[in-house]
Amino acid sequence: MTRPPLTIPAAIEAMRAEKRLLANGMALYTLPANEFEVLRVTFVFRAGSSAQRVPFSASATANLLAEGTRRFTARELAERLDYYGSWYDVNLDRDYVYISFATLSKFYRETLEAAEEILLHPLFPEEELRTYCAKRKQRLRIDRQKVDVKAREAFARALFGAEHPYGATYDEALYDTLTRTDVETFYRTHYTAENCFAVCSGRITDEERAAVAAIAEQLPHGTSACPEFPEPQTTYDTTVEHPGAVQSSIRIGRLLFGREHPDFVGMQVVAAALGGYFGSRLMQNLRERHGYTYGAVAAMVNFDRTGYLAIATQVGTEATEAALAEIYAEIERLRTEPLGEEELSLVKNIMAGEMMRILDGPFGIADVTIENILCGRNNEVIDENLRRIRTMTPADVQRLAQKYLAREDLVTVVAGENIK
């Protein structure tokens, strides 16, 4: 049997979303794929944790939307969506909340009826709030017993400072003081037309478009939730003691920039070479050569107002210092030695393949569209990014590593037992 030739696309032509401004000023984007008998609608609200003034109010609001509405109890909503085979999902990050409804096309009306209740008429019942807070408090307490969670939270504080919305962490006991008024206030302030857009993908006729618009146009007017942030207060070396830990959790990185920066894509290539796939340099060194870890990753992380590079791994406590030395050595090797053409070609192919995988199907295209909208771009940027990746040279990788990965600029956080 002969393996078919590997073909890496020279270009990606992704569908450009059609934008329509609704009567309340909200934007509705559509990506028709009428060969699929499904429809997904995602409402994106600028209502992430960085917008909250009361700890945990953002996540509580998002997660309690379907826990009882004007017409339905939480159980009735769940049973209704389940009966029609519909899918409801809530995701929240530092900046945004993503609320998605997916359904077979023939049940779009019934699903959107539930969506209207969830988005426009949540009641946030006191009993559901208290149950939610008790569960989340317990989960957070348990999570914080894990060394990787301690490292992750400490890394955010080290990058941004404990008072910055991107770096803040809160005592789980504050769940006890969260009130229904706090949640209702956050909902009224942030779930507005000014803070939202919607993206529809799948089978979209005039009927589906009109039905989604009818819901979106009911979102009330409000103010744009874009508060001022303080300047980050970076701490470069942090250790977090975790008695009894058999592993150390390591985070290394630095503040950089968001997707709109001209060097963002190039730094994605640098991160991929360092720790973006199974055969990356960190994996070959820490796992294959030394056996310090099962895995190590490096990636560029994008927020609404900034971005950063992060390297993460967990190693045996006894290997902590040696693993740190090897990570710094691999970073320095990128700065002093050009990547080989064969290795860079592999990195490019993996990144191009991942782009193609993500864009497979209408829902994947919708996810990428949302990301591009948040960056103020349309889907033409996908092909532009592929061209940037394909034209990267070993000299480009080395130049970016020299520019952004100097040892004195790196933030290092280690959580574990007896960290020196």
Side-chain angles (χ1 to χ4, degrees):
M1 182 180 293
T2 302
R3 186 177 67 179
L6 177 66
T7 304
I8 302 299
I12 298 177
E13 293 183 7
M15 178 187 302
R16 185 167 179 173
E18 175 191 335
K19 180 180 179 181
R20 175 185 173 190
L21 286 179
L22 304 180
N24 59 355
M26 179 179 152
L28 173 61
Y29 298 85
T30 53
L31 293 155
N34 293 332
E35 66 273 25
F36 296 92
E37 290 293 320
V38 292
L39 174 70
R40 194 188 82 177
V41 184
T42 299
F43 293 85
V44 182
F45 291 91
R46 186 187 288 273
S49 61
S50 65
Q52 67 190 9
R53 295 185 178 181
V54 178
F56 306 123
S57 57
S59 57
T61 302
N63 287 298
L64 289 169
L65 287 171
E67 297 300 317
T69 70
R70 177 189 59 180
R71 291 177 54 197
F72 302 114
T73 65
R75 179 174 180 175
E76 289 169 339
L77 278 170
E79 289 177 345
R80 183 180 184 87
L81 292 168
D82 185 61
Y83 179 80
Y84 292 108
S86 302
W87 176 71
Y88 166 64
D89 185 60
V90 174
N91 278 303
L92 176 139
D93 61 26
R94 292 291 192 183
D95 297 299
Y96 297 97
V97 171
Y98 311 84
I99 302 171
S100 297
F101 302 88
T103 178
L104 294 173
S105 297
K106 60 183 177 181
F107 296 133
Y108 83 89
R109 290 189 182 279
E110 293 84 354
T111 302
L112 289 180
E113 184 180 7
E116 181 175 355
E117 283 292 310
I118 290 169
L119 289 170
L120 300 175
H121 307 294
L123 294 180
F124 307 113
E126 181 67 29
E127 182 179 354
E128 299 290 351
L129 173 61
R130 298 275 58 92
T131 300
Y132 167 85
C133 287
K135 289 181 178 179
R136 288 302 178 109
K137 176 183 175 182
Q138 180 67 10
R139 183 187 301 177
L140 184 56
R141 179 178 293 152
I142 293 171
D143 284 346
R144 283 177 171 167
Q145 294 173 10
K146 302 173 184 175
V147 67
D148 63 315
V149 173
K150 282 194 171 183
R152 185 179 69 238
E153 291 186 340
F155 187 58
R157 291 193 299 271
L159 285 174
F160 296 102
E163 302 302 317
H164 193 283
Y166 290 160
T169 55
Y170 303 105
D171 190 317
E172 60 265 24
L174 292 176
Y175 272 116
D176 294 335
T177 63
L178 185 66
T179 68
R180 185 169 178 268
T181 298
D182 295 329
V183 174
E184 287 182 322
T185 300
F186 189 87
Y187 172 78
R188 287 196 305 270
T189 304
H190 297 89
Y191 285 71
T192 64
E194 285 77 7
N195 291 319
C196 182
F197 66 86
V199 175
C200 302
S201 57
R203 199 191 78 174
I204 304 168
T205 68
D206 290 342
E207 290 183 358
E208 284 91 350
R209 185 182 289 105
V212 174
I215 296 172
E217 287 180 332
Q218 294 181 63
L219 284 168
H221 287 290
T223 57
S224 180
C226 194
E228 292 294 324
F229 283 6
E231 287 296 316
Q233 301 296 320
T234 301
T235 304
Y236 287 92
D237 291 292
T238 301
T239 59
V240 181
E241 189 64 25
H242 188 77
V246 297
Q247 287 187 312
S248 296
S249 186
I250 297 171
R251 297 290 189 277
I252 296 174
R254 63 160 299 183
L255 285 178
L256 286 172
F257 31 69
R259 290 186 181 276
E260 70 285 352
H261 193 280
D263 283 341
F264 186 90
V265 173
M267 283 303 296
Q268 284 185 304
V269 177
V270 174
L274 191 60
Y277 64 104
F278 190 78
S280 67
R281 290 191 168 191
L282 288 177
M283 285 291 285
Q284 289 185 35
N285 185 322
L286 299 179
R287 177 188 166 108
E288 303 301 324
R289 194 177 312 147
H290 290 102
Y292 292 152
T293 184
Y294 285 108
V297 297
M300 288 291 291
V301 179
N302 180 59
F303 285 163
D304 189 44
R305 309 206 189 182
T306 189
Y308 61 90
L309 172 78
I311 298 165
T313 190
Q314 285 189 200
V315 302
T317 301
E318 71 286 351
T320 303
E321 291 301 318
L324 284 168
E326 293 299 332
I327 294 170
Y328 296 139
E330 290 297 344
I331 293 171
E332 190 61 23
R333 190 155 71 97
L334 280 176
R335 301 180 75 244
T336 56
E337 302 174 12
L339 228 61
E341 289 284 358
E342 184 176 350
E343 182 182 1
L344 180 55
S345 178
L346 175 61
V347 170
K348 292 178 181 180
N349 290 346
I350 288 172
M351 294 181 71
E354 180 65 11
M355 292 174 71
M356 297 299 295
R357 185 193 66 80
I358 294 172
L359 290 166
D360 184 23
F363 297 170
I365 295 173
D367 289 336
V368 175
T369 299
I370 290 169
E371 190 173 288
N372 290 334
I373 292 169
L374 293 176
C375 296
R377 305 294 298 271
N378 59 47
N379 284 350
E380 291 177 357
V381 75
I382 298 170
D383 187 51
E384 178 183 326
N385 288 342
L386 178 62
R387 288 198 303 271
R388 289 184 180 182
I389 291 169
R390 291 179 65 88
T391 57
M392 285 284 290
T393 67
D396 291 330
V397 173
Q398 185 176 9
R399 174 183 60 81
L400 291 172
Q402 289 174 343
K403 185 175 182 180
Y404 296 117
L405 298 184
R407 174 67 183 89
E408 62 269 21
D409 295 328
L410 297 177
V411 171
T412 301
V413 171
V414 183
E417 185 175 52
N418 296 326
I419 304 300
K420 298 178 181 179

